[in-house]
Each structure stands twice: as C-alpha cells, then as structure tokens.
Amino acid sequence: MALDTILYVSDGATGSDSISAALKADGYEVVTTDSSTQAVALLFIMRLVAGIVFDHRVGEHTTFDVVRSLRALRPHVPIVFLCRNRIDHPPPCVDACVNTGQPLQELTSEVERLLTPERFAVHSAQR
C-alpha cells in the first residue's frame, strides 16, 4: 500500500521536526520545505499529494498569499494551516486551522479527518 504524501511547509519555526515526525508516525510520507517558493514548485511537480500542512509562526501578521497559490495549483488538496494566533474565520483557501499551542494530536487528527475517503471524495467533487 502506498503512503499518502503530505507536503509540509514550515516558515523555519522551531518545532517543525516534531510536526514532521508526528505526521510520519501517523503513517504519512512527508515532503518538507521551509521555502514558500519551493513549496509552490514542489506542488507543481509532485504527482500525488494527499494534503498540505502550512506552518506559519513567524511574524505577527498572518498572511494567506502562499496558501492561496497552493490552492490555485491544486484546488482539491486539503490544506491545514498552523499558526500562533487563533483564527476564528479562516479564508476559503484553508480547510482547517490549528493553533500551534495545541498538542500535536490536534494536528494529526485534523489531517486524518480531512483525508478520510468520504471527505476527500466530497472535496474532490466540489472542484
């Protein structure tokens, strides 16, 4: 059985190794980058990506520009946005937001929820 591949984009924040390890422990293959430009390039060339985890912790202002670019390239791929600040109403380019103060289980649960066959089928049909 092939592993689902997660593109993990980190802004260089501390703790990114533990997030990558948690995703791997849950059975995902993880491709990691700390460059927004490289994330867009990777998503463009990678054939199969089951989901994207975008880890944004640097800076006070939350920007979704890169996430919008990733969504434009692959509108059917679920995106989980990690950030320091709580986001009550995420933009449509984000499928789930997880606060970095939460346990890693919260992140892996969101990824698992978004990648269930039923959710993925509904999400793919909406594109």
Side-chain angles (χ1 to χ4, degrees):
M1 176 176 125
L3 297 175
D4 286 331
T5 301
I6 302 293
L7 176 60
Y8 174 56
V9 185
S10 171
D11 60 11
T14 58
S16 61
D17 289 340
S18 60
I19 292 170
S20 181
L23 292 167
K24 288 177 183 178
D26 261 20
Y28 298 105
E29 180 178 333
V30 180
V31 175
T32 304
T33 182
D34 61 2
S35 162
S36 298
T37 304
Q38 188 176 42
V40 172
L42 282 168
L43 193 58
F44 185 76
I45 63 172
M46 292 173 67
R47 290 193 63 201
L48 299 174
V49 176
I52 300 167
V53 174
F54 192 91
D55 190 352
H56 176 75
R57 296 190 222 186
V58 175
E60 292 298 317
H61 182 66
T62 301
T63 178
F64 294 97
D65 294 339
V66 175
V67 177
R68 285 185 186 97
S69 296
L70 297 171
R71 172 65 79 207
L73 280 173
R74 299 281 179 88
H76 65 282
V77 174
I79 299 175
V80 176
F81 192 81
L82 293 171
C83 63
R84 289 189 309 196
N85 304 321
R86 181 178 169 167
I87 300 175
D88 292 323
H89 303 287
C93 61
V94 174
D95 295 293
C97 287
V98 176
N99 185 292
T100 55
Q102 299 293 319
L104 286 177
Q105 178 60 34
E106 183 71 22
L107 167 64
T108 56
S109 293
E110 278 299 314
V111 170
E112 187 175 320
R113 181 185 67 81
L114 289 171
L115 297 183
T116 60
E118 297 81 22
R119 166 78 171 125
F120 188 73
V122 168
H123 197 75
S124 295
Q126 293 174 347
R127 47 178 176 141

